[in-house]
Amino acid sequence: MNDTSRRHLGSTELRALFLDYFGRQGHTPVASSSLVPGNDPTLLFTNAGMVQFKDVFLGNETRPYKRAVSSQRCVRAGGKHNDLENVGYTARHHTFFEMLGNFSFGDYFKRDAIRFAWEFVTGELGIPKDRLWVTVFETDDEAYEIWANEAGVPRERITRMGAKSNFWAMGDTGPCGPCTEIFYDHGPEIPGGPPGSPDEDGDRYVEIWNLVFMQYDRAADGTLTPLPKPSVDTGMGLERIAAVMQGVHSNYDIDLFRGLIAAAARATGATDLGSPSLRVIADHIRACSRRTRDAAMCCGASSGARSATATSSARRGPSSTGSSTRWSSRWARPTPSSSRVPSTCAACSRRRRPASPRRSRPA
């Protein structure tokens, strides 16, 4: 495996490079929306870059552009996409992460989506092609042939996968469609097998980019209705691609996490910086601070409860380090009571629900 052409890039530089590349391809930069979806009561949190564009995909909203690019703040700590239980114990899962994405609203489709992704990964980033694997939806012959004949990916590194992994939807209802994914091989020293193999859940082969071909609107009864215009929704985790570009295997070893983990170790007295518990603390502190920034803890009982769940999980984290939990008094502050905050959230203009009365615990 040849890594000589890869350059080291910090997370800030990576984000800027992505936005700049797609800007040069005619995409309009769009700011990240709030972690509390303003247009979708079916979601607790924004869990993907396409959430703010849902009504555009459905044909219910028009915008002055047909191509967009964004770096979206996301949380996956409940609902259809829930990574909470994996945090700290795998190299790649988080509750909060940034999703780099490019979008087409009835403009380009599979061919250009694949071309842009391959050009960015192998050209702009210089990732060696022999480190990359691809998956496609099991019946998507068009995407398979584009990868094989136009991108030049060897057919033995293109895997057909079923709906569980390669038919994407943000929730149980809404825009959805088949997808194709790009995986990075971290090397034979890491346990795990390629996508589609019995050992695919290991950390050797990590999905770095998902290209979704939005074609349908799924109803509550499972009915798929074709969308007005076939569109594209892609998502690449900033943390995952940063690990690749910084030459580390685990997301927790990148620049975004090193300082947090070191601070958690100082606060707890822990000495093993590779402890899953320290990773949990770092992840959840990062997630809760971002959610507080977007007023997620005060915009509804469900999202606030999920934030509290993450905080409680982080509080429990240090126990396996053998240290005390004195850190929690410094980092995990109680949420202000509803009597001390306005009834309307300034961040998202939603009216807050009244706080539920506290229940005393049985003795």
Side-chain angles (χ1 to χ4, degrees):
M1 294 183 182
N2 177 20
D3 284 347
T4 57
S5 59
R6 189 200 309 173
R7 51 186 173 135
H8 184 283
L9 291 172
S11 298
T12 299
E13 189 177 1
L14 260 173
R15 185 191 301 110
L17 189 65
F18 183 89
L19 296 173
D20 177 71
Y21 170 79
F22 281 99
R24 287 186 274 118
Q25 312 307 320
H27 293 66
T28 298
V30 179
S32 174
S33 62
S34 170
L35 283 173
V36 182
N39 63 336
D40 195 336
T42 68
L43 296 175
L44 289 176
F45 296 112
T46 296
N47 62 8
M50 59 77 60
V51 171
Q52 68 168 311
F53 303 116
K54 177 180 177 180
D55 288 336
V56 183
F57 286 123
L58 292 174
N60 298 329
E61 178 188 351
T62 58
R63 299 200 181 187
Y65 47 81
K66 291 186 176 180
R67 300 182 178 192
V69 60
S70 70
S71 180
Q72 173 65 49
R73 301 186 298 276
C74 298
V75 165
R76 292 187 177 176
K80 180 178 177 65
H81 300 284
N82 182 6
D83 293 334
L84 186 59
E85 298 304 318
N86 292 321
V87 170
Y89 296 93
T90 73
R92 62 190 186 277
H93 288 104
H94 307 290
T95 51
F96 170 86
F97 62 97
E98 283 190 60
M99 182 77 83
L100 304 174
N102 59 290
F103 306 89
S104 165
F105 310 115
D107 186 11
Y108 62 84
F109 201 43
K110 294 181 183 181
R111 176 165 281 102
D112 281 340
I114 291 173
R115 177 175 63 85
F116 288 147
W118 196 243
E119 182 177 287
F120 182 78
V121 168
T122 62
E124 298 289 314
L125 299 185
I127 296 176
K129 295 179 180 179
D130 62 1
R131 286 270 196 170
L132 300 172
W133 291 62
V134 170
T135 65
V136 298
F137 185 54
E138 55 193 353
T139 61
D140 195 345
D141 296 333
E142 181 183 4
Y144 185 98
E145 294 302 326
I146 293 171
W147 280 117
N149 297 331
E150 298 182 29
V153 177
R155 293 178 185 267
E156 61 270 20
R157 294 212 306 271
I158 308 174
T159 306
R160 294 181 184 265
M161 304 284 281
K164 182 178 180 181
S165 61
N166 279 66
F167 194 96
W168 196 91
M170 71 176 191
D172 294 328
T173 61
C176 59
C179 64
T180 180
E181 300 170 317
I182 301 175
F183 285 73
Y184 177 78
D185 178 3
H186 278 278
E189 67 278 9
I190 307 297
S197 71
D199 300 322
E200 66 178 357
D201 289 334
D203 285 328
R204 174 175 173 177
Y205 296 84
V206 174
E207 175 208 332
I208 57 172
W209 206 342
N210 187 10
L211 318 179
V212 183
F213 308 124
M214 288 293 189
Q215 295 176 246
Y216 307 102
D217 178 15
R218 175 179 282 154
D221 63 1
T223 302
L224 296 177
T225 302
L227 292 174
K229 297 178 180 179
S231 299
V232 170
D233 152 36
T234 87
M236 176 165 62
L238 174 63
E239 294 80 2
R240 294 188 184 188
I241 194 65
V244 173
M245 298 309 297
Q246 293 174 26
V248 296
H249 158 241
S250 172
N251 292 5
Y252 293 96
D253 292 330
I254 67 173
D255 53 358
L256 295 175
F257 278 94
R258 287 195 295 266
L260 282 172
I261 291 175
R266 290 193 298 270
T268 61
T271 56
D272 179 10
L273 295 183
S275 166
S277 295
L278 289 180
R279 293 177 174 184
V280 170
I281 294 170
D283 172 90
H284 290 358
I285 290 296
R286 185 170 179 245
C288 290
S289 65
R290 291 289 186 170
R291 283 177 283 191
T292 302
R293 177 188 183 277
D294 281 4
M297 294 186 74
C298 57
C299 286
S302 296
S303 57
R306 186 58 63 175
S307 292
T309 298
T311 303
S312 297
S313 176
R315 284 184 183 225
R316 292 194 301 270
S319 59
S320 65
T321 67
S323 62
S324 72
T325 57
R326 67 183 181 272
W327 72 276
S328 63
S329 63
R330 293 176 52 193
W331 289 12
R333 303 297 185 189
T335 305
S337 68
S338 58
S339 63
R340 284 178 285 179
V341 293
S343 60
T344 303
C345 174
C348 66
S349 299
R350 278 181 162 183
R351 190 160 188 83
R352 294 192 180 95
R353 302 169 189 158
S356 300
R358 292 183 178 272
R359 297 179 181 177
S360 60
R361 292 186 178 180

